[in-house]
Amino acid sequence: MTRRMMIAGNWKMNGLEASLDFFSHNDLTRDLPGMDRVICPPATLLRAAHHAASRCGIDVGGQDCHGQESGAHTGDISAEMVADCGARYVIVGHSERRANHAESSAMVKDKAQAALRAGLTPILCVGETQGERESGQAESVVGRQLADSWPQDAADTDLVIAYEPVWAIGTGLTASLDDIAAMHGFIRAQRPGGADLRILYGGSVKPGNAADILSLSDVDGALIGGASLTAESFAAIVDSAPD
Ligand code: PGA
């Protein structure tokens, strides 16, 4: 089985209605049947973004979901609600949520299971901090996150993994190509069906470094924050992906 390339943008807490102009940009309106392009806008824009994005063959995803289907959880959004807006994907376990909202891997596992229950593909994020890398624990930390966050009985084709070293997110620092290749290989080796598992790299991916990162054989795409906020840079990253 060949793994489809995926270029996913995570807008984080950025975007108002006017931001939907993104999807009218000429560089994005080309049909690219060989790859999945995904934008994860804030929840407030999800439904409108779905309508705008579908005209250029782009899918949308949520940035988070609750583990429960419904209930007394003020301010939270269920996976079913994300799906109801037309999303096909949802990011779970982003390091900003793990850090800022104290999300444990057990909670991330619940969210990933909720996503599957709602018919969404979870984009499950893992990654080590700078201190963990410097003390030689990067693989053990990522391996534990992967094992503890993996939804029960999910096959390797049911979800997408995003490896995002915490120290590379929003800092302009990227892991070396050797370190990315090694960690992606490590993640693939953790799973029985690892050959079919799609693994994205994330952390300061931009037009200038995307081609080298995306050419690595175990890298199946990218999860992009800052550089996904303009159509020009998102499209430039899409264009730098190998055919
Ligand atoms: P960045 O963010 O590209 O701005 O580093 C990546 C992410 O957090 O997914």
Side-chain angles (χ1 to χ4, degrees):
M1 174 177 165
T2 49
R3 303 183 301 263
R4 277 170 74 82
M5 181 67 60
M6 174 185 283
I7 305 295
N10 171 13
W11 284 4
K12 309 191 180 186
M13 199 173 72
N14 298 289
L16 300 172
E17 198 178 353
S19 314
L20 298 175
D21 287 353
F22 178 98
F23 298 103
S24 313
H25 201 282
N26 282 341
D27 294 349
L28 293 179
T29 49
R30 267 179 315 122
D31 209 21
L32 289 170
M35 94 159 46
D36 294 318
R37 290 171 300 161
V38 184
I39 291 291
C40 301
T44 47
L45 290 180
L46 206 42
R47 183 182 296 276
H50 162 61
H51 288 305
S54 58
R55 288 195 288 272
C56 37
I58 295 179
D59 290 309
V60 297
Q63 296 179 10
D64 178 45
C65 66
H66 195 277
Q68 307 278 305
E69 191 172 340
S70 60
H73 302 289
T74 302
D76 280 316
I77 295 173
S78 70
E80 283 73 9
M81 293 169 182
V82 173
D84 192 43
C85 291
R88 288 188 58 187
Y89 299 92
V90 63
I91 297 170
V92 294
H94 190 281
S95 65
E96 286 155 12
R97 297 218 47 102
R98 289 182 188 259
N100 302 347
H101 299 268
E103 288 188 7
S104 63
S105 287
M107 290 166 72
V108 175
K109 177 179 179 174
D110 277 353
K111 288 167 184 253
Q113 282 175 189
L116 294 171
R117 180 189 68 217
L120 297 168
T121 298
I123 300 174
L124 197 166
C125 301
V126 294
E128 81 286 356
T129 64
Q130 184 147 28
E132 288 162 346
R133 174 155 290 273
E134 282 166 1
S135 59
Q137 294 174 278
E139 285 193 351
S140 61
V141 166
V142 168
R144 204 171 330 113
Q145 286 175 340
L146 200 61
D148 294 350
S149 312
W150 194 274
Q152 187 120 29
D153 301 330
D156 291 283
T157 47
D158 289 342
L159 65 164
V160 173
I161 295 296
Y163 166 58
E164 301 201 299
V166 176
W167 49 271
I169 295 176
T171 58
L173 302 170
T174 38
S176 70
L177 295 176
D178 284 350
D179 285 346
I180 296 172
M183 186 60 89
H184 280 233
F186 169 79
I187 291 171
R188 204 173 290 297
Q190 303 310 296
R191 296 293 317 164
D196 295 332
L197 177 63
R198 291 204 284 176
I199 310 173
L200 314 183
Y201 174 77
S204 298
V205 176
K206 44 188 183 274
N209 61 19
D212 285 344
I213 294 170
L214 294 172
S215 69
L216 297 171
S217 61
D218 277 322
V219 174
D220 304 307
L223 181 58
I224 306 149
S228 73
L229 292 175
T230 69
E232 288 82 354
S233 60
F234 184 74
I237 293 170
V238 166
D239 287 344
S240 66
D243 293 331

